[in-house]
Amino acid sequence: MQIAVPTEKWANERRVALIPDSVKKLTRLGLSVQVQNNCGLESGYSNEQYAEAGATIVDDREKLIRSGDIILRVRKPDAEEVTLVKSGAIHISYLDPYNESQLVDALTEKGISAISMEMIPRTTRAQKMDALSSQANLAGYVMVMLAAQKLDRIIPMMMTPAGTLSPARVFVIGAGVAGLQAIATAKRLGARVEAFDTRPVVAEQVESLGAKFVEIDLGETGQTKDGYAKELTSEQLALQREGMKQIISGSDIVITTAQVFGRPAPRIVTADMVGAMKPGGVIVDMAVESGGNVEGSQPDKTVVTGGVSLIGISNLPSIVSQDASQMYSANLYNLLSEYWNEDTKTLEMDLEDDILKSCVISHEGRIVNETIKNLRKT
Amino acid sequence: MQIAVPTEKWANERRVALIPDSVKKLTRLGLSVQVQNNCGLESGYSNEQYAEAGATIVDDREKLIRSGDIILRVRKPDAEEVTLVKSGAIHISYLDPYNESQLVDALTEKGISAISMEMIPRTTRAQKMDALSSQANLAGYVMVMLAAQKLDRIIPMMMTPAGTLSPARVFVIGAGVAGLQAIATAKRLGARVEAFDTRPVVAEQVESLGAKFVEIDLGETGQTKDGYAKELTSEQLALQREGMKQIISGSDIVITTAQVFGRPAPRIVTADMVGAMKPGGVIVDMAVESGGNVEGSQPDKTVVTGGVSLIGISNLPSIVSQDASQMYSANLYNLLSEYWNEDTKTLEMDLEDDILKSCVISHEGRIVNETIKNLRKT
Amino acid sequence: MSIGLIANLSYILSAILFVFGLKMLGSPATARRGNLLSSMGMLIAIVAGLTSKGIVDYQTIAAGIFVGAIIGSLAARLVAMTAMPEMVALFNGSGGAASLLVGWATLYTGDISTFTAVTVLLAILIGGITFTGSLVAYGKLSENINSAALVFTGQRIVNSLILIGILVSGYLFSVEPSPNSQWLFVMVGLALLLGVMAVIPIGGADMPVVISLLNSYSGIAACAAGFAIENNILIVAGSLVGASGIILTNIMCKAMNRSLANVLFSGFGAVKQGKAIEGEVKPVSVEDAYYLFEAASNVCFIPGYGMAVAQAQHVVKELGEILEKNGAEVSFAIHPVAGRMPGHMNVLLAEADVPYEQLVEMDDINPRIENVDIAVVIGANDVVNPSAREDEDSPIYGMPIINVDKARTVFVLKRSMASGFSGVDNPLFFGENTRMLFGDAKESIAGVISEFN
Amino acid sequence: MSIGLIANLSYILSAILFVFGLKMLGSPATARRGNLLSSMGMLIAIVAGLTSKGIVDYQTIAAGIFVGAIIGSLAARLVAMTAMPEMVALFNGSGGAASLLVGWATLYTGDISTFTAVTVLLAILIGGITFTGSLVAYGKLSENINSAALVFTGQRIVNSLILIGILVSGYLFSVEPSPNSQWLFVMVGLALLLGVMAVIPIGGADMPVVISLLNSYSGIAACAAGFAIENNILIVAGSLVGASGIILTNIMCKAMNRSLANVLFSGFGAVKQGKAIEGEVKPVSVEDAYYLFEAASNVCFIPGYGMAVAQAQHVVKELGEILEKNGAEVSFAIHPVAGRMPGHMNVLLAEADVPYEQLVEMDDINPRIENVDIAVVIGANDVVNPSAREDEDSPIYGMPIINVDKARTVFVLKRSMASGFSGVDNPLFFGENTRMLFGDAKESIAGVISEFN
Amino acid sequence: MDVVFLTFILVLSIFLGFELISKVPATLHTPLMSGANAISGITLAGAFLSAGATDPDLGKWLGVAAVTFATINVVGGYMVTDRMLSMFKSKREGEK
Amino acid sequence: MDVVFLTFILVLSIFLGFELISKVPATLHTPLMSGANAISGITLAGAFLSAGATDPDLGKWLGVAAVTFATINVVGGYMVTDRMLSMFKSKREGEK
Ligand SMILES: NC(=O)c1ccc[n+]([C@@H]2O[C@H](COP(=O)([O-])OP(=O)(O)OC[C@H]3O[C@@H](n4cnc5c(N)ncnc54)[C@H](OP(=O)(O)O)[C@@H]3O)[C@@H](O)[C@H]2O)c1
Ligand SMILES: NC(=O)c1ccc[n+]([C@@H]2O[C@H](COP(=O)([O-])OP(=O)(O)OC[C@H]3O[C@@H](n4cnc5c(N)ncnc54)[C@H](OP(=O)(O)O)[C@@H]3O)[C@@H](O)[C@H]2O)c1
Ligand SMILES: NC(=O)c1ccc[n+]([C@@H]2O[C@H](COP(=O)([O-])OP(=O)(O)OC[C@H]3O[C@@H](n4cnc5c(N)ncnc54)[C@H](O)[C@@H]3O)[C@@H](O)[C@H]2O)c1
Ligand SMILES: NC(=O)c1ccc[n+]([C@@H]2O[C@H](COP(=O)([O-])OP(=O)(O)OC[C@H]3O[C@@H](n4cnc5c(N)ncnc54)[C@H](O)[C@@H]3O)[C@@H](O)[C@H]2O)c1
């Protein structure tokens, strides 16, 4: 089967879906790989490396996409490029199927088997294919670096002959994969770290990284069977804001990662909370793309209000594009090799399988994913 | 006595010589303090905080400088402003007396007692006044943050379901105060750190931070009684370059801090060594202002050659201006309080004192510093 | 002062030397000096023994000593270093033989009370067992006889018969004790036979433990002989060796993670016990764990989320260092999904400054996990769950795991039998070679560290 | 079996119980049960003792026991918890008195051999010393007599005279032993006097050690009495107590960082020794350090460059945790220039995850350093050098330091007497209250940790 | 010969005494001392012989006095030790 | 009475034996065993009585045999232990 890897077209997208190392492994499985010219340049992988790994370098993007039996990319395709894809081909990328119903329809109509990377279930078995995790993880690290860079202080404590510099206080809101990595990175740098999440199970995880979990009593909260947070009621959100206000005003850095899968992100930090921070403070809003946890944060801008910098970068993993590409590519490889049948040389799309049941959106001209199907009904 | 603190005029200088906390302490000693309007704004200290601490806010810079018995600033004054200073006043700042002979002459002629902060000796007793140390320390931290930010990878090692990310390799050349702090910060972030310095005593210090000291046999090297490195012969420098080449080519981040006090910095990393680094690598050259350790580095620019970013920021401490100002201010306070006579309410300029002997350049119309005097003779 | 008194005071001195000697033999720094002290004690005791009243004929004694010394010293000097254990078995056997003979000879020295008769019998019985038992042990170690555990049907019945025979003949002899009693000969024969029967069914690998136990017996035999001839030093030295030998045997069993009973009778009941152990949770104490760690030469730590919860990374690193100093090879195998975020274990181990060289990936450790003496699972669960490999119905079936169940011994450090993140039961905990070290991981490891004095 | 034999076998049983009891008293978990076991042993011994052949008049015995039991139980029950130590002293004194009396009474039981006479004398002498010594200790502890060390001129001469008197009268008595010998009375008197003289010059603070020593004596006295009346159990129990008491005394001395000789004779030679100790380096072993740590309730670590070199931060943090668990308050005082770069110590301690709350600045610790029981200087030198404070000629004069020399005890952990970065000698190392723990800091601390079992 | 036996017993007991006590935490020092002290009241068993004699000579009365003193030591010693240890225990438990 | 004494001695020695050996590193197991084994050759001291008797009955010859065997145990045992320990030591030193 022919794999096709086009260069990412989105602004600020420096990642690539497949790196040479995975190309090598896939060819060993018996797949052939075509990549677009210079697709890996921004993440540090040259055409030579791809060629050496066994990929064919193709200049013509259209031809490339037309020829692929399996198309691998990071970002969702635009409507126009969907038309290029072979009917019956397999298309794997982020898709945002909750919101992109037109795109999903287009893929379905064309008979494309579309796999959405954000729909990979959060199970232990699927973790190796879970791109949300792998990328969120890097985002957690990047956020701390961005904040540290912006802060007009240093993060660790230092007792020096010229006085004692107290450690910076970092407050992480939402301790999912990204939040935990942010906590770990800030701790590493010597910050005093506090964290909050609505899911109570997270408290132990936060403490296991040496940070302090902030207790705010919100009454009944919980998580779905996939481990995602449930949405809060508006009273609960008010309670949460109240409880956080004081901590935020004492923090040098606030990092927000709160998300509710498939819904706009909760607005947790209000403008007056931002105003209560000391000048020079920094807030990083990871949820900026899905609505923002922080009032006033804007995608891909750093807004300064009252001396506080509000960093809202929509594509954090892309900042460490080399590692991010490596991990995304490994996720794709793991997905393909899990369902690759070496004898028949085909990908077995067993829709009864736990993982495929969740992540395959359309197949043979039908929307096969239950959740997306239900979404249409209502 | 009247202390005057003008706002720094240099481009990119965000620090301030005195922070409100030190103002409070100095007034308690019986000194009165005047600061220029908004002098602390860039480092996070407001006029209100100064006023509260007991300082008078002065709008007119000229008046301010004219009235000061003691003038405190970070950067050296320009020729014009020297003329404003009272004769007999004490002027404390960085001066760069080795190179700024005109400025020194101007100060001497005006009968100003000029104290050069870079001439504070590196003794245990003087360490609390040692601004070179306190600022270099912060610079060490900042360099790692800058490099981490620029790198397209993450620094720590991670073994994840999407493969193992190997730890970034950081190579620190010159393990003085800044170098050691850079090592410590990189170690904290989980890097594999190697370091080199010409002074053999440093090996133990490097290892005490958990990093690896690279042994390169240069023959006889050494340090002055102040702990500064001696300059290398050109053969030695060649030997050093040879030894480092391979390490640099395997490093993700190279940080150079090599300086020889009072002389241009040694050119250690040549263009071909830069070329041997992997694309995406980062080099930070701390010595860029005094000539640069790295071929091609330019002050306050990030030069990208062959995918390698060459960061040369001349004023690193200013990036963390709040902490940098706090430490510089503490150094100044420690200096003043050490020689302040509470009974006579004067600063005792005892030129027999070890510390003053080194750092006072001109006094009562004469150049009193031996080293600077000798410089003139040759 | 009479000669007798002096002799007896010398005995006290030699007893003191024995005590010091044994004590010092227990620590590497002093062991050699301890052996010297104890040999001086022996010399004193021998000289004192020679002054005993009844001794007239010194020539035969000298002859005996001469022959014995030659044989002993030659054997000790010529034996290859690798053959030490079997040599010790032989020496031990001759000690047992001596006790048997002394007991027997006592019967010729005059009237025999029932008490004496009983002690003589004990000396003969224990001495005899020691003698032939040691010979068999020697044979197995030197591979002169089949070193495998030799089991035959009816073994139990034969042994029971021997025991009954010993009781009966012992009773009949002590009713009418005489050097010429036929029951005496029966007794000697049965004792020798019992020694053979006791050791034959034990496998060659367990021989060191057996020798240590027989060593303890030879002390007890000497002690019994001491009672027979009413000699203090025999009693003191004999019971010292008897008691310390039992302790040492126990220590050796612990280091092999076996019970003494298991060593002695595994040959007999092998088949029956195997089944019973399966499905059984075997908790282990910190102390027992220590003995295994002490003897291990390849240790692999497998950290999981529990290590993070316990914040045990620092003590784990320290234990690793101690084991390395102890000569073991130490590694840390990191499963990609261990913990609760990618790289969770890396963060912790870097904090504890575990060198990167010691970290190995799952795919690197699995092919060589068979060579790992101890796999230490620290608060990990799902990532070492063999049902991911074996049980098709398991929700985690198909996930690659670290195959700790294939290591020689597995220690699992956790607080309870609770399951991990995925909520799946873990058959590893019931494994044949698994030992559960229950408790907070940090405390358990700190406990082991403090055992390494 | 005769009654005598049964009694003797009971003695063996009670000896076994005493051994177990003492063993168990040494560990917190079992101490109470140990005391119970030992009291059962005592009961058995008493019952067995009552069956002795010579006893006819049980009434007087019952009366004696009755009175003694009432007094003893009342005293034990009514004493305030704080007055326990003096109560133990009193009980101990009565034990000594009993041995003295038993020894003395033995003289009335018939013919006395020289051997018996000597043992009787020992019982009287040691029992007498124990008796009055304990009384004085009681007096000092309860502050009924001046608790200060009482020293008067000629004390030594008086003591020498007493000793000579004891030797002479002892000799004269044993030449012609008789219950009516006047030398006997002299002996009793001198023994009592010696007890007073021995304890009077020791300060009240050292009384616990003295009581422990006297306790050991009372065991020895019982042992001597046992020899006098040829009673096994007295010998066994007495010598057990005698020996374990000496060990315990030694342990207590170590925990006070004193030698036994120093405790006993400091009162006599106080003035002369003071000078000699000055300027002397006092190394301390890991074990001794442990005893002090064990007893400390406020410990402050002062890390320096040496901690970094030794990479000891992890073990230091662990020791801190252990001490906290042990009930001590623990802090880390960071001197601003410690190490080789600003914040050097912070980096290391953060790596070891020492909570920020435990870090204190120089200016915070100095005012309260007097309350610190142990200041642990870990590879620091210049930053704790008192000559920066006191010696105007020192190149570091004027630098503020952490005044560890004002703490109660200072441990300095370094490898040698070498000076630090500034090359200046450090008088701290010669301080009165300084103990040098030589060796690599990491190893030293790991050693201390392993002592905390 | 008895003397020899007794000396043997003495020596062995002394060794045993030394070996028994090794590492004792500071909190147990006083109870251990007190418990050992109670054992040294074993003199009681030796005092019976004199105290139970028929002739009411000085020896007998010395013996009776010895019985009394030794009983004080034994009874008081064990009781006071137990009191200390019980306190100790409850404190420990309280800590948990 | 002698039996009583002997039992006392026996009991105390056993206790002492138990107390003496506590933690022994694995490397010392064999030497310790061997050293203890040499001590059990103490039977030698008891064998003299029979071996040195005048009447050359079976008892005497049993005694002589006992002397020989016991001597093997003693001499061989001590020597072999020493050999093991000397190796052990040099290895240790070699490591440093
Ligand atoms: N790596 C990631 O990114 C990530 C993210 C989310 C979820 N996960 C999932 O998390 C799991 C990770 O596997 P794992 O083996 O590391 O952890 P695990 O399967 O969750 O098991 C952890 C074990 O640690 C024990 N434990 C907890 N606290 C302890 C303490 N103080 N001392 C000793 N033991 C303690 C618990 O048993 P006791 O209660 O009996 O002590 C528990 O069984 C996988 O299922 C993975 O899919 C991973
Ligand atoms: N903080 C800074 O920015 C900075 C920068 C440069 C210089 N300095 C200077 O460095 C000094 C710092 O004072 P300090 O007290 O931290 O250090 P120090 O005075 O240099 O003393 C360090 C001591 O540690 C001991 N040591 C070394 N390795 C050891 C090991 N493995 N185990 C145990 N002990 C070990 C050494 O004694 P042994 O050899 O006997 O073991 C040495 O005396 C000051 O003089 C300061 O001015 C500071
Ligand atoms: N089984 C696996 O191997 C595996 C792999 C990856 C992740 N997971 C689990 O999946 C879950 C989701 O992880 P994620 O990072 O993708 O989550 P996410 O990105 O959906 O959300 C981030 C975090 O924000 C929190 N949040 C939501 N609303 C909030 C509010 N109002 N205030 C504060 N916090 C709020 C959520 O609880 C979550 O922790 C986690 O439980 C994670 O452990 C499991
Ligand atoms: N006494 C004190 O308390 C105190 C305080 C601060 C600094 N110091 C000492 O002062 C000394 C100088 O510190 P600094 O940071 O200001 O030095 P610096 O800025 O002058 O030089 C930086 C480092 O570069 C090194 N270097 C010079 N040429 C080199 C070459 N060709 N290759 C590699 N490295 C080269 C130097 O050895 C030095 O370590 C150090 O020894 C430091 O410990 C002492």
Side-chain angles (χ1 to χ4, degrees), chain B residues 122-124 127 130 132-133 136 173-178 196-199 202 205 223 226-230 232 237 240 244 257-261 266 268 286, chain D residues 337 340 421:
Chain B
R122 302 323 271 278
T123 59
T124 296
Q127 219 182 324
D130 181 357
L132 275 192
S133 271
I173 302 172
V177 176
F196 176 74
D197 196 299
T198 51
R199 293 179 297 131
V202 176
Q205 298 174 11
Q223 64 180 47
D226 266 357
Y228 290 115
K230 292 213 182 112
L232 297 183
L237 211 52
Q240 178 181 351
M244 288 182 174
T257 76
Q259 276 172 338
V260 183
F261 189 69
I268 297 168
M286 189 174 87
Chain D
V337 311
R340 287 289 183 274
F421 180 84

Side-chain angles (χ1 to χ4, degrees), chain D residues 267-300:
Chain D
F268 291 106
V271 197
K272 266 183 72 187
Q273 280 194 343
K275 206 79 196 169
I277 287 172
E278 231 179 72
E280 195 187 304
V281 173
K282 292 177 285 302
V284 69
S285 72
V286 162
E287 209 196 0
D288 292 358
Y290 157 75
Y291 286 109
L292 279 173
F293 274 121
E294 220 277 328
S297 66
N298 189 335
V299 177
C300 179

Side-chain angles (χ1 to χ4, degrees), chain C residues 133-144:
Chain C
S134 299
L135 288 182
V136 174
Y138 165 78
K140 290 209 171 203
L141 277 178
S142 62
E143 313 230 332
N144 284 333

Side-chain angles (χ1 to χ4, degrees), chain A residues 123-124 127 204, chain C residues 303-306 309-310 336-342 379-383 413-422 439-442:
Chain A
T123 59
T124 296
Q127 220 182 326
E204 193 192 49
Chain C
Y305 179 56
V309 173
V337 311
R340 286 290 181 277
M341 64 168 206
N381 192 338
D382 296 344
V383 301
L413 280 69
K414 60 200 301 281
R415 298 163 306 182
S416 65
M417 294 295 291
S419 58
F421 180 84
S422 64
D440 180 77
K442 183 170 178 188

Side-chain angles (χ1 to χ4, degrees), chain D residues 325-337:
Chain D
K325 252 190 230 150
N326 199 33
E329 193 182 309
V330 174
S331 55
F332 293 79
I334 316 278
H335 191 282
V337 311

